[in-house]
Amino acid sequence: MQKLLASLLVAAAVAGFAAPAHAQSRIKDIAAVEGVRSNQLVGYGLVVGLAGTGDSLRNCPFTRQSLEGMTERLGVNIRGANSNSKNLAAIMVTAELPPFSTPGARIDVSVSSMCDAKSLLGGTLLVTSLQGADGEVYAVAQGSIQTGAVSGSGASGSSVSRGVPTAGRIASGATVERETGFQLANMNEVRLTLRNPDFTTAQRVAAAINATYPNTALAENGTVIALRAPGQMGMAGFISQVENLPITVDSPAKVIIDEVNGVIVMGDAVRVSTVAIAQGNLTISVQENLQVSQPEAFSRGQTVVTPQSDVSVEEELGREMRIVGGGTSLATLVNGLNALGVSPRDMISILQAIKAAGALQADIEVM
């Protein structure tokens, strides 16, 4: 009998601390593996083949210097020559190197004009090395540019354009030449980082992993969960299993207010203590009417214009004070505010007033 009573008490305690029924998310959707990320690459290059829409060499000295340096490497010396071609442009090339990219893989690149080029449409990017933050070359880019823009101009100076013709993209325009050196298979321990830090969510993630793979996860803080692969399982296979585990995400009570656009976003954890709310609109209108007083014919009187003012006060009725019970849920709060018939902008003022009264158990963040 004592064992049965103890079991019932344990079950009641577990039910008391159980999380409310909410939609579950996968761990891969709320967390990322530390170190597994893309890396930004950047390079400087030349685009040729433009139809007179490139840089003016007189206004862009770095374009001239780049042209002279490139032709010298190819065995042509144009230093001192009066070249004024507008068929080339200096550009910056950017790309993102995905994690675990191997030499020979292709990635997309974006190009943007640096000087006074009018359009990069139809241009071809010459071989350009792309460097990482450490100064090493990780990829080489080259190819035809697609801008997705249309532009045209007339002899009178009028012009029209759609999109941005001075920026474009080269699909699969760069070849990876170097790996980042992140050796996941040789690591004994990895760390998961939550995209939205929260201690409760971190503990739930660790508990969900340990329930399937005992003693493999530890929540270090509200952001980081340390993982250690069990037994002979490889780290990549272990992460593949872990990231598909379902988890219930917890979030703090917060109200986001965008006063410019009149937008209000409230989380499900928002609660309100007992409070009475009343809202009404008072309208004062003043109407001016001009009346003309004119004397009879052949009399000595004068014509006088007399202003006549009508002032009225209207107050919208039917807005009774409503009481919102303590500990009410988000749905009850929203229904109570909607029952008052308030607009989103009036609701912003009401929420701020409830917060000032100490009855709103949530943080208000104004964008």
Side-chain angles (χ1 to χ4, degrees):
M1 186 65 182
Q2 293 179 351
K3 292 183 178 179
L4 178 60
L5 181 59
S7 300
L8 293 175
L9 290 176
V10 171
V14 172
F17 287 102
H22 295 292
Q24 292 186 324
S25 303
R26 298 177 301 175
I27 291 179
K28 70 187 303 179
D29 299 324
I30 65 172
V33 179
E34 186 179 71
V36 180
R37 61 178 180 83
S38 59
N39 292 272
Q40 283 70 39
L41 305 179
V42 65
Y44 168 81
L46 284 177
V47 171
V48 298
L50 303 177
T53 59
D55 293 341
S56 173
L57 299 185
R58 295 179 180 178
N59 298 331
C60 306
F62 48 85
T63 305
R64 176 185 290 276
Q65 293 174 8
S66 301
L67 175 62
E68 293 173 351
M70 180 193 66
T71 54
E72 282 185 359
R73 289 193 300 270
L74 297 177
V76 180
N77 186 5
I78 62 171
R79 292 187 181 275
N82 187 19
S83 58
N84 193 26
S85 172
K86 289 189 176 182
N87 294 342
L88 74 159
I91 51 90
M92 293 300 296
V93 185
T94 57
E96 285 198 3
L97 182 67
F100 310 116
S101 295
T102 58
R106 308 285 296 187
I107 59 176
D108 298 343
V109 298
S110 300
V111 298
S112 303
S113 174
M114 291 182 60
C115 197
D116 59 357
K118 301 298 186 295
S119 175
L120 300 180
L121 181 63
T124 299
L125 173 66
L126 300 181
V127 176
T128 302
S129 59
L130 302 180
Q131 300 178 353
D134 56 359
E136 299 289 342
V137 176
Y138 286 91
V140 175
Q142 181 173 273
S144 299
I145 300 174
Q146 300 295 327
T147 62
V150 178
S151 62
S153 59
S156 62
S158 60
S159 62
V160 62
S161 63
R162 295 289 178 86
V164 183
T166 55
R169 193 171 182 84
I170 306 176
S172 301
T175 303
V176 177
E177 300 292 342
R178 181 195 297 266
E179 296 184 19
T180 57
F182 187 78
Q183 301 296 331
L184 181 65
N186 297 332
M187 300 177 65
N188 297 323
E189 182 178 301
V190 297
R191 305 205 305 172
L192 293 178
T193 56
L194 296 181
R195 295 187 174 92
N196 296 312
D198 184 82
F199 283 100
T200 303
T201 303
Q203 292 293 338
R204 289 178 183 175
V205 170
I209 298 173
N210 288 328
T212 306
Y213 303 98
N215 302 321
T216 58
L218 174 64
E220 297 182 353
N221 49 52
T223 301
V224 178
I225 301 97
L227 300 180
R228 185 178 294 273
Q232 301 299 322
M233 182 179 292
M235 185 60 71
F238 178 52
I239 294 176
S240 175
Q241 297 296 324
V242 165
E243 66 181 6
N244 288 290
L245 295 176
I247 188 69
T248 301
V249 179
D250 195 73
S251 59
K254 182 177 292 187
V255 178
I256 308 299
I257 295 177
D258 184 357
E259 290 187 315
V260 176
N261 299 312
V263 177
I264 305 172
V265 178
M266 291 185 285
D268 184 64
V270 175
R271 294 293 182 270
V272 178
S273 303
T274 302
V275 65
I277 305 173
Q279 191 270 345
N281 292 326
L282 184 67
T283 303
I284 301 177
S285 61
V286 179
Q287 184 176 4
E288 295 285 351
N289 295 318
L290 299 180
Q291 295 183 351
V292 179
S293 175
Q294 188 173 3
E296 296 180 358
F298 305 105
S299 65
R300 295 184 179 182
Q302 296 180 351
T303 302
V304 178
V305 178
T306 304
Q308 183 71 27
S309 300
D310 294 331
V311 181
S312 61
V313 178
E314 296 181 0
E315 184 174 5
E316 190 173 353
L317 302 178
R319 302 290 181 87
E320 299 177 354
M321 178 171 287
R322 297 180 180 269
I323 299 178
V324 180
T328 184
S329 64
L330 174 62
T332 306
L333 172 61
V334 173
N335 292 335
L337 293 177
N338 289 335
L340 292 173
V342 299
S343 65
R345 297 191 182 277
D346 291 335
M347 197 177 296
I348 291 174
S349 301
I350 292 175
L351 289 173
Q352 291 175 335
I354 296 176
K355 178 64 176 179
L360 182 64
Q361 313 308 326
D363 292 331
I364 292 183
E365 180 178 333
V366 180
M367 300 178 61

